[in-house]
């Protein structure tokens, strides 16, 4: 049923940035509404061990996010299971339309929609998505017990996924377009020591091959970026881990963005090009993209929203 909700502060997104904004905004008595989106808990729900969240030597990503949600709720944030499909920042109160049919209006908004996995854009990648091609090892790794798989990429995500997948797969080939990884050194060490992982340097995926009936992956074709030579590799699974792009589609035409869609914020601030609109986390951050930095920006956004709203009263 169509419904209208007004709030002083609307928070869009339920990753570390959104939930932290919820904690701080609640304690500032702003009675925030937080809309969770399609991925309640955000990117950390797609991983296993998180080893760099201060205070926890090791914590499971999904558990951490359940705790953050409970924390925001306990402080007074109203958590709503909905997805914002349209956001109008042209006049105040700002208006957000939810997939549920609810229209949310608000005096200020914190955008914390984070980032989403990037794909290579190959036709055959699209064809086998969900049938051997995946961007989430934690979600799909279990299906590849005793099989050979490949991981594409050379960052933290690719290396963590390759390591995680060795729990199931008989062999993991890490395919990277250079011969240098951009992951943390501790992860690189673990990768190099793992006998189940074989790096394939200076190669790019050009095609996923497989069967149509039933739809399934049987191998890949890779190109040597130095020589152009194409070789085939047998595998049952392809995990694409080539980074993340900001989820800025709601605001791309309304706010200043840069570097492929990251929302621009003022120096030392989460304020965007529209007064009353604050952006936090991976949506604005092309540099650090960490849970702790996202949470820090969520805190800043809530405090800045509080000051903005107080200044208007
Ligand atoms: P996200 O976590 O991306 O959350 C975005 C939220 O916005 C989601 O809840 C989504 O549902 C919501 N949303 C999006 N669009 C809409 C919409 N239209 N309407 C409503 N809601 C919407 N960082 C670390 O510090 N340590 C790690 O060990 C670590 N491991 C990682 C492992 C993996 C596999 C990945 C992918 C990332 C990892 N990161 C890690 C990075 C970390 O997860 C991100 O930096 C962090 O989650 C960003 O937080 P965020 O709140 O900005 O957004
Ligand atoms: P990333 O750091 O941007 O790395 C992406 C990797 O994919 C790079 O190695 C890149 O190659 C490669 N790549 C990009 N486009 C490609 C293409 N078209 N074809 C082939 N290869 C391509 O992304 P990420 O690993 O997803 O990490 C994103 C953020 O989350 C980072 O800030 C990261 O620190 C954070 N994160 C942190 C942890 C942790 O703290 N443990 C874990 C996961 C993620 P080049 O190197 O050649 O550019």
């Amino acid at each position: 049923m169509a419904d209208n909700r007004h709030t002083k502060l609307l928070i869009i997104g339920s990753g570390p940035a959104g939930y932290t904004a919820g904690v701080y905004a609640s304690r500032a008595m702003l009675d925030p509404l937080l809309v969770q989106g399609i991925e309640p808990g955000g990117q950390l729900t797609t991983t296993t061990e998180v080893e760099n969240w201060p205070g926890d030597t090791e914590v499971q990503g999904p558990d951490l996010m359940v705790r953050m949600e409970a924390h925001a709720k306990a402080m007074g944030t109203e958590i709503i299971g909905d997805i914002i499909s349209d956001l109008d920042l042209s006049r105040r109160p700002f208006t957000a339309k939810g997939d549920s049919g609810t229209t949310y209006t608000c005096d200020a908004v914190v955008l914390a929609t984070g980032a989403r996995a990037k794909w290579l854009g190959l036709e055959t990648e699209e064809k086998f998505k969900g049938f051997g091609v995946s961007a989430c090892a934690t979600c799909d790794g279990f299906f590849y017990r005793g099989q050979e798989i490949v991981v594409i990429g050379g960052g933290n995500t690719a290396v963590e996924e390759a390591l995680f997948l060795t729990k199931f797969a008989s062999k993991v080939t890490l395919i990277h377009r250079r011969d240098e990884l951009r992951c943390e050194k501790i992860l690189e060490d673990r990768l190099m020591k793992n006998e189940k992982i074989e790096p394939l340097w200076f190669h790019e995926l050009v095609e996923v091959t497989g069967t149509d009936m039933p739809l399934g992956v049987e191998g890949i074709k890779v190109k040597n970026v130095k020589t152009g030579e194409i070789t085939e590799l047998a595998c049952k699974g392809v995990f694409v881990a080539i980074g993340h792009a900001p989820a800025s589609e709601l605001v791309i035409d309304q706010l200043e963005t840069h570097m492929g869609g990251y929302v621009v914020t003022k120096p030392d601030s989460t304020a965007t090009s529209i007064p009353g609109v604050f952006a936090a986390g991976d949506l604005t951050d092309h540099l650090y993209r960490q849970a702790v930095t996202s949470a820090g920006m969520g805190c800043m956004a809530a405090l800045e929203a509080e000051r903005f709203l107080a200044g208007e009263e």
Side-chain angles (χ1 to χ4, degrees):
M1 220 188 52
D3 193 9
N4 294 312
R5 298 286 309 270
H6 182 78
T7 176
K8 278 183 269 196
L9 182 66
L10 180 68
I11 300 167
I12 306 178
S14 58
Y19 284 146
T20 307
V23 168
Y24 277 80
S26 299
R27 288 169 58 82
M29 313 303 272
L30 294 180
D31 301 324
L33 298 187
L34 183 153
V35 179
Q36 287 181 306
I38 201 163
E39 190 173 57
Q43 290 170 68
L44 282 189
T45 61
T46 69
T47 190
T48 50
E49 292 93 9
V50 174
E51 297 177 349
N52 49 16
W53 179 255
D56 286 308
T57 313
E58 186 184 305
V59 57
Q60 294 292 309
D63 292 347
L64 178 61
M65 296 320 298
V66 166
R67 277 165 37 198
M68 279 196 209
E69 177 180 349
H71 190 171
K73 215 186 258 176
M75 291 296 132
T77 306
E78 185 180 344
I79 313 262
I80 299 174
D82 200 354
I83 300 167
I84 302 300
S85 52
D86 187 64
L87 180 63
D88 183 357
L89 301 174
S90 63
R91 66 184 71 84
R92 294 183 63 222
F94 304 124
T95 307
K97 294 216 162 76
D99 270 1
S100 63
T102 302
T103 297
Y104 305 89
T105 54
C106 59
D107 302 323
V109 60
V110 171
L111 305 170
T113 49
R116 288 195 196 106
K118 279 197 224 164
W119 295 93
L120 290 161
L122 302 171
E123 221 171 89
T124 48
E125 172 192 59
E126 190 60 36
K127 174 177 171 181
F128 291 107
K129 249 186 217 171
F131 296 90
V133 172
S134 168
C136 179
T138 0
C139 321
D140 300 328
F142 185 71
F143 301 119
Y144 298 92
R145 270 179 299 172
Q147 296 180 336
E148 298 201 2
I149 55 180
V150 301
V151 174
I152 317 291
N156 274 328
T157 303
V159 175
E160 280 193 346
E161 300 226 329
L163 288 164
F164 175 74
L165 287 164
T166 59
K167 291 185 187 184
F168 313 101
S170 55
K171 181 182 171 191
V172 178
T173 306
L174 182 89
I175 300 172
H176 184 34
R177 60 185 177 185
R178 300 187 291 136
D179 67 345
E180 242 177 82
L181 297 166
R182 60 166 78 232
C183 64
E184 290 173 40
K185 288 292 163 223
I186 189 169
L187 292 175
E188 185 169 348
D189 269 8
R190 287 180 197 162
L191 181 95
M192 294 307 181
K193 284 183 189 144
N194 194 310
E195 286 174 359
K196 276 193 177 178
I197 303 179
E198 189 179 313
L200 180 61
W201 306 122
F202 295 117
H203 277 76
E204 270 177 3
L205 177 68
V206 288
E207 191 181 334
V208 183
T209 55
T211 52
D212 282 341
M213 296 269 264
L215 202 53
V217 171
E218 293 294 335
I220 53 167
K221 288 184 186 168
V222 287
K223 183 172 90 179
N224 183 317
V225 294
K226 291 189 146 184
T227 63
E229 189 191 349
I230 305 277
T231 43
E232 293 188 33
L233 219 76
C235 66
K236 293 285 186 189
V238 179
F239 286 83
V240 179
I242 59 162
H244 287 75
S248 53
E249 59 280 353
L250 287 174
V251 295
I252 195 92
D253 299 329
Q254 306 183 73
L255 293 176
E256 191 187 335
T257 59
H258 67 164
M259 319 260 313
Y262 289 93
V263 171
V264 174
T265 51
K266 305 220 157 84
D268 302 324
S269 165
T270 59
T272 67
S273 48
I274 298 182
V277 180
F278 303 89
D282 279 14
L283 175 68
T284 74
D285 178 12
H286 59 93
L287 214 52
Y288 303 108
R289 296 175 295 173
Q290 302 295 304
V292 68
T293 46
S294 298
M297 283 187 262
C299 155
M300 288 166 65
L303 295 178
E304 289 185 277
E306 180 198 3
R307 274 178 221 141
F308 170 82
L309 291 168
E312 290 208 315
E313 272 165 14

